[in-house]
Amino acid sequence: MLTITRALHDAIVAHARADHPDEACGVVAGPAGTDRPERFIPMLNAARSPTFYEFDSGDLLKLYREMDDRDEEPVVVYHSHTATEAYPSRTDVSYASEPGAHYVLVSTADSGNDEGPFQFRSFRIVDGEITEEDVEVVESHA
């Protein structure tokens, strides 16, 4: 199960809406070994595409160095789908290189940039196997 604060949940949704019709992407880092998402890191979709996302390799290298320095790991890797449901595509699965991470997908297909319905779902992707998990939104981490 993914436990995430309301503030982080809303920040991810806001990023997905802001970047629509392109896919948004980013990471939520947390203290290594805790499975607790804490630091919201919106990234640039280097592909600038409505059907595909790609982290800029330089940005990603910088991010991993920064997380190492802070003893953090990527707890959540998120991106949006702008025209389809919030479910990992074959491409998403092929890019899922963090077996410990929660892969969050937000679908803005029904509302675009506006307030309105959206999907927020979390998955574990290990060795190409997709497992959906429950998401618990809390006001703050205990």
Side-chain angles (χ1 to χ4, degrees), residues 55-129:
F55 292 120
D56 177 84
S57 57
D59 290 350
L60 202 56
L61 185 62
K62 186 174 158 234
L63 170 65
Y64 272 83
R65 285 189 176 139
E66 191 179 276
M67 286 191 299
D68 275 349
D69 290 346
R70 297 171 65 128
D71 198 26
E72 292 175 328
E73 61 193 12
V75 178
V76 170
V77 177
Y78 73 87
H79 77 280
S80 62
H81 281 180
T82 59
T84 57
E85 70 170 326
Y87 190 82
S89 68
R90 283 193 304 274
T91 305
D92 297 339
V93 172
S94 71
Y95 278 108
S97 60
E98 291 288 343
H102 302 269
Y103 285 88
V104 166
L105 274 102
V106 175
S107 173
T108 54
D110 294 330
S111 58
N113 303 104
D114 303 321
E115 293 295 312
F118 62 90
Q119 293 177 346
F120 187 103
R121 297 166 71 187
S122 184
F123 304 87
R124 295 291 193 156
I125 304 174
V126 180
D127 297 331
E129 290 288 316

Side-chain angles (χ1 to χ4, degrees), residues 14-27:
H15 184 202
R17 284 191 167 130
D19 280 13
H20 187 94
D22 289 342
E23 290 193 4
C25 57
V27 172

